[in-house]
Amino acid sequence: MGKKVKRTHRGSSNRRISSHNKPSQRQKRGNRSGKKKIIKSRLFLMLFIVFIFFFAVGRLVWTGHKNAQAKKALEEAQNQKSIEVMEEKKRNVINVAIDAAKGGINEGMTAYRGSHKEKDINLEIAKFIKDNLSGQEDINVIMVRAYDEDKKLADRVAYAKKNQADLYISVRLSAQSGRNDASGIDTYYISPENIDYSSLDKSKEESASKDIKTNSSSNELVGKDDINEKSKSEKEKTIKPERDNLSKLLAENIQNTTISYIEMRDRGILDKKFDILNYTQMPAVIVQCGFISNKDDAEKLENEKYQQDIAQGISEGILKFVDENRKAIIKDRINYR
């Protein structure tokens, strides 16, 4: 009998193994589901990254815009502050009108036994005052007469008013007719009772004089005379006291400082009505720098160094007055000009 060969069923076993490794339908569905989850996760991650990128870019743009706005606002605030500072400085600048009396064909008196004319000495002193004050940041000098020209009183006042002068200083010399013994320096201002207030604002006076009002208590007509009396009374309570005070203080300061610089008789300050004082709408004084008819005064006035000393005294008097009364000067400017 022949030997039996044992069958190993290798093929069958291999088929079983193959059958065991082959994925089932459930596994296939699971694999597809897993792949989808991975794709979704990756897509979500990509979208998240894109979102973060655009968010960061948007944040940078927004921050840059806000910074630009903040910078612009800061610059505008700084500019506004600079403008306010400049306006404040401008408000604090005091306009000083210096008027050299005489001029042109109106030569005035000639110095005692000399060749210098009154108009020339006045102008030289006025120019020295201008030079002294021009270096001050808070002072603006207005030269009413800057060269040899004849100006009428009305033109001088109009020029000062046009240039918004806060103070008016008229530089003049005194003279004595027929005699030559009077000497010295004095400064004039005008008191309230001497001021012709109707000349300061004629239009208001004329308007008020035309009005007719009824007195409710007596049913009588109140006309021109009554209105003028009322206007006069109101002005005495408001304009007159302050105007008088500033002009007098200005005169005192100029007289005192000028005398400290020169050797000349101190004639003090005087309350007197001069046309130029009566019609100026700002605190004003007339400085009579000496008697050109007096030999000693005339010799001094012809000397350039003496002219400079007088101008220095007047200049320091003006500056002292401004430093002590700046607020009052600005208030006077606002209320009355």
Side-chain angles (χ1 to χ4, degrees), residues 158-295:
Y159 187 79
K161 183 178 179 181
K162 179 182 177 181
N163 287 276
Q164 301 178 338
D166 295 305
L167 305 176
Y168 194 102
I169 291 85
S170 177
V171 178
R172 301 186 181 186
L173 301 180
S174 299
Q176 193 177 25
S177 179
R179 299 173 60 185
N180 57 16
D181 56 331
S183 65
I185 180 172
D186 43 25
T187 305
Y188 291 86
Y189 70 98
I190 190 169
S191 61
E193 57 269 21
N194 286 332
I195 297 177
D196 180 9
Y197 282 98
S198 63
S199 67
L200 299 180
D201 199 345
K202 290 183 178 180
S203 60
K204 290 183 180 180
E205 289 292 321
E206 290 171 359
S207 176
S209 66
K210 293 177 182 178
D211 292 338
I212 298 178
K213 298 181 180 180
T214 304
N215 188 319
S216 58
S217 60
S218 61
N219 291 326
E220 293 179 354
L221 292 178
V222 180
K224 178 178 178 180
D225 293 338
D226 299 295
I227 293 172
N228 285 343
E229 286 298 320
K230 182 179 179 181
S231 298
K232 182 179 179 181
S233 176
E234 289 176 350
K235 287 174 180 177
E236 285 176 350
K237 294 178 182 178
T238 56
I239 298 178
K240 289 186 178 182
E242 186 167 5
R243 286 289 172 85
D244 173 50
N245 184 42
L246 291 178
S247 294
K248 185 176 181 180
L249 287 174
L250 178 59
E252 288 175 343
N253 277 279
I254 289 177
Q255 181 71 18
N256 292 337
T257 54
T258 304
I259 285 298
S260 69
Y261 272 87
I262 60 174
E263 293 181 4
M264 191 176 282
R265 179 188 172 192
D266 182 2
R267 298 173 64 90
I269 64 171
L270 295 92
D271 175 9
K272 191 171 182 180
K273 184 175 181 179
F274 275 85
D275 285 343
I276 199 72
L277 297 181
N278 191 47
Y279 294 103
T280 50
Q281 296 187 1
M282 68 290 296
V285 297
I286 296 174
V287 186
Q288 303 275 28
C289 298
F291 278 78
I292 197 171
S293 56
N294 179 274
K295 180 182 177 181

Side-chain angles (χ1 to χ4, degrees), residues 144-163:
V144 177
R145 180 169 78 87
Y147 51 93
D148 188 17
E149 62 172 336
D150 184 21
K151 275 192 172 183
K152 295 180 180 179
L153 176 65
D155 294 334
R156 294 172 189 262
V157 174
Y159 187 79
K161 183 178 179 181
K162 179 182 177 181
N163 287 276

